[in-house]
Amino acid sequence: MLQSLRLHALGLDVLIHIMAFLRPSDIISMRQTCKALNVASIHRVVWLNALEQMVEEHHIPSATFQTSSMDIATLEHLALSPAKFAALIENSPDEEVRPCSVRILQDHISKEDKAKYGITKCPGYSDVLLAPGGRFLVTSEDFMKSSALRNLVRVWDLGICGRDKTKLLAQKVLSKKHIRLRSLSLAPDGEGFYLVSEQKRPYKLFVHMITAFDQLPRIHHLNEMEIPGLADSLAVLGTRLAVIAHRTVLVWDFEADLSVSWDSGLGPDDIDYPSPIHLYPENVMLYRPGKLGIWKIPQLRSEKDTIHVENRRLLTLSDLFEGTDESGDDDISFNLLQSPWSHSFCDLGFLGISGEGFRLFRIERLQAGHDAKLPGILPSLIGPSDSVDLSYLEPGASVGALEPCDRRLMFVVENEGDVWVHRLDMLADGSKLSSMKKIQLVLDTVDTIDHVQVCFATGRLCAAVGARELRIIDFLQAP
């Protein structure tokens, strides 16, 4: 007679191996079922595997977390952070979430640095970019030198918990003229970040490499290129950058220093309306109210060759937006860009567009051997949603990119000094949730808020408060 199989009979190694295939929150559920699973779940290798899974799913650079020096409690906390933050959004009874810790990064430049860079006056923070994982922060501070406005760019290590001390890793003046920080993305080898900045008159894009993971982190110039005007929108994929500027689409491989450009075909009425651009391995997609245009990227050439080419649009999609407002009203139409962090060769990501209704698209890759006259990607409508209402936003509101958090899709909104998180009523795989959630992240300040950056995976927010103060806010309790 066969005896019933008991879990402890499988052996510890087998139970630990099984847990390697589970999501972190499922490991906690299994832990509570019996003693054998509880014993298996407290082994270090279980949470090393779980953290590795979390880092990959949320597109966090693997070097962000130095796991060799972490205890099991910290590993478990980090692996469970997306699930914990998602639970805060789901279960908050008051439609608001309050911080667990707040740190203040003062706008302070030492006397030595003022003498080194010739700084006579420092108005404060002008740009802030937070890397996924929430550990590394890039700031830009305006300063005056001989009546000219410049920027001091700094890279900070914020630590992984709210009680950690902030450390200045590197700093550099990127240009002799005033610049704006436009994008922060991971280098393909995972060894550093690409920082893209923009200068006006002459209009230029600069790319710098930040080696934040090195023993001696630094910021060094990689490349630069003149563009035909102010960048309307910009996207980065790997070592390529796409920008729309003065009706021109430019694609530039800044590592190989190859580029190509073409006329977008935007009319005079389109110039005043922002045109979000999306970059894919073989295609560029440009959004206009009520339609998406898709181009195939021509062969990139060296700068000495003619780079402006004739490039007709392969496809214009407008029937996907039937029933939505096509007026181009800035107050109600938003294109939720896919973050450069969650946008890779194998994961082409999502596109969210709001108007009178909300549409969520998955960007699908066409199979090899498709008709050359068709693009290599197509947006596939997952579904409309009446529960995403952005009509409360005032002119000047800032709408962030769609980001993953424990399989959910979220985005952040800054509106008249308030910060809101929207969680869509659809999971990343297209399955439905019961309802959309809209939760306010409480910052406890009456001062002006700007440059809001959020890492949903670790529950951290950074924002400039007033001109001279930057707050680092953690919404998850440290272990």
Side-chain angles (χ1 to χ4, degrees):
M1 184 174 178
L2 292 174
Q3 294 183 345
S4 60
L5 180 65
R6 298 181 183 275
L7 279 173
H8 66 78
L10 293 175
L12 186 60
D13 291 345
V14 174
L15 296 180
I16 290 175
H17 182 71
I18 290 172
M19 289 183 178
F21 296 92
L22 300 180
R23 299 185 64 78
S25 55
D26 294 332
I27 296 173
I28 297 298
S29 298
M30 285 190 69
R31 168 188 289 177
Q32 298 167 349
T33 59
C34 71
K35 184 177 180 180
L37 289 172
N38 180 59
V39 170
S41 72
I42 61 175
H43 278 68
R44 181 180 178 84
V45 67
V46 170
W47 293 105
L48 282 171
N49 290 334
L51 180 55
E52 183 179 345
Q53 178 193 124
M54 187 280 278
V55 163
E56 182 178 355
E57 180 178 320
H58 294 86
H59 310 280
I60 297 171
S62 58
T64 298
F65 304 126
Q66 302 298 318
T67 56
S68 60
S69 60
M70 290 181 184
D71 57 23
I72 294 177
T74 303
L75 290 171
E76 184 175 320
H77 168 76
L78 288 171
L80 289 167
S81 289
K84 289 179 178 179
F85 188 75
L88 276 180
I89 301 300
E90 300 281 348
N91 304 323
S92 174
D94 303 322
E95 295 191 349
E96 67 177 31
V97 177
R98 305 195 72 86
C100 291
S101 70
V102 179
R103 291 174 288 167
I104 295 176
L105 193 64
Q106 296 284 1
D107 176 28
H108 174 72
I109 299 178
S110 67
K111 291 181 179 179
E112 292 79 6
D113 286 337
K114 286 182 178 179
K116 176 180 178 181
Y117 298 111
I119 297 173
T120 57
K121 183 180 179 182
C122 186
Y125 291 107
S126 55
D127 286 304
V128 176
L129 295 173
L130 182 66
R135 179 181 168 188
F136 297 106
L137 180 74
V138 180
T139 63
S140 176
E141 297 166 79
D142 293 344
F143 70 86
M144 300 297 296
K145 179 179 180 180
S146 305
S147 73
L149 189 62
R150 297 187 184 181
N151 306 77
L152 179 62
V153 173
R154 290 173 155 181
V155 182
W156 303 87
D157 183 349
L158 306 181
I160 58 174
C161 298
R163 62 171 178 261
D164 293 340
K165 291 184 178 180
T166 58
K167 301 175 185 176
L168 177 62
L169 299 180
Q171 61 185 15
K172 187 181 181 71
V173 176
L174 302 189
S175 172
K176 293 181 179 180
K177 299 197 174 192
H178 185 256
I179 53 101
R180 286 180 59 206
L181 303 187
R182 295 300 305 263
S183 175
L184 185 68
S185 59
L186 184 66
D189 61 7
E191 296 300 316
F193 304 117
Y194 292 131
L195 176 65
V196 180
S197 57
E198 179 184 14
Q199 171 189 287
K200 290 196 293 187
R201 297 186 183 88
Y203 296 103
K204 278 187 177 183
L205 292 177
F206 297 92
V207 181
H208 287 77
M209 171 66 81
I210 300 175
T211 55
F213 308 124
D214 289 355
Q215 274 194 323
L216 296 173
R218 67 190 187 102
I219 308 169
H220 65 89
H221 178 271
L222 190 63
N223 211 337
E224 62 186 75
M225 170 169 276
E226 291 194 14
I227 57 176
L230 195 64
D232 215 9
S233 178
L234 181 147
V236 178
L237 177 65
T239 63
R240 285 188 174 189
L241 177 156
V243 63
I244 174 78
H246 195 60
R247 298 178 56 179
T248 296
V249 176
L250 171 70
V251 178
W252 175 35
D253 187 321
F254 44 80
E255 285 278 11
D257 202 18
L258 302 173
S259 60
V260 67
S261 65
W262 64 89
D263 193 314
S264 67
L266 296 177
D269 296 336
D270 297 323
I271 297 301
D272 295 331
Y273 189 84
S275 305
I277 194 167
H278 301 251
L279 177 61
Y280 302 96
E282 300 175 2
N283 299 96
V284 165
M285 184 162 62
L286 195 64
Y287 170 67
R288 300 293 303 129
K291 57 188 176 183
L292 285 168
I294 302 176
W295 289 263
K296 185 175 178 62
I297 300 174
Q299 181 180 354
L300 274 61
R301 310 174 186 183
S302 63
E303 190 176 357
K304 64 182 180 181
D305 298 325
T306 304
I307 63 169
H308 202 77
V309 299
E310 291 291 330
N311 190 25
R312 296 190 63 181
R313 196 177 313 171
L314 284 178
L315 196 63
T316 301
L317 302 172
S318 56
D319 55 344
L320 296 174
F321 304 94
E322 290 181 0
T324 62
D325 180 14
E326 299 186 22
S327 65
D329 189 337
D330 289 4
D331 295 349
I332 63 173
S333 184
F334 292 93
N335 177 217
L336 306 183
L337 287 167
Q338 178 70 14
S339 163
W341 299 95
S342 53
H343 179 128
S344 63
F345 286 90
C346 53
D347 175 17
L348 296 182
F350 296 88
L351 176 67
I353 297 175
S354 74
E356 291 183 351
F358 183 87
R359 301 288 190 273
L360 180 67
F361 303 90
R362 182 190 295 276
I363 308 303
E364 306 279 3
R365 184 194 298 273
L366 293 181
Q367 294 296 323
H370 67 271
D371 190 334
K373 295 181 180 179
L374 293 176
I377 52 102
L378 279 175
S380 172
L381 181 64
I382 293 179
S385 174
D386 297 328
S387 59
V388 181
D389 180 17
L390 298 179
S391 61
Y392 71 97
L393 299 185
E394 299 295 330
S398 172
V399 180
L402 281 171
E403 301 276 5
C405 182
D406 196 39
R407 293 185 296 180
R408 289 149 176 80
L409 292 172
M410 300 184 183
F411 63 93
V412 67
V413 168
E414 188 277 313
N415 184 55
E416 294 193 318
D418 293 329
V419 179
W420 298 86
V421 171
H422 287 254
R423 193 268 291 153
L424 302 189
D425 56 358
M426 286 171 273
L427 292 175
D429 62 5
S431 56
K432 294 284 288 184
L433 293 172
S434 58
S435 63
M436 192 275 287
K437 293 285 289 188
K438 173 189 166 193
I439 296 292
Q440 184 178 6
L441 301 182
V442 178
L443 306 190
D444 288 328
T445 180
V446 295
D447 294 325
T448 304
I449 297 171
D450 205 358
H451 309 302
V452 174
Q453 298 277 293
V454 178
C455 175
F456 296 124
T458 54
R460 176 169 289 173
L461 178 148
C462 295
V465 178
R468 307 299 299 273
E469 181 180 295
L470 195 140
R471 294 196 182 183
I472 306 153
I473 302 174
D474 287 283
F475 292 93
L476 298 180
Q477 190 68 48

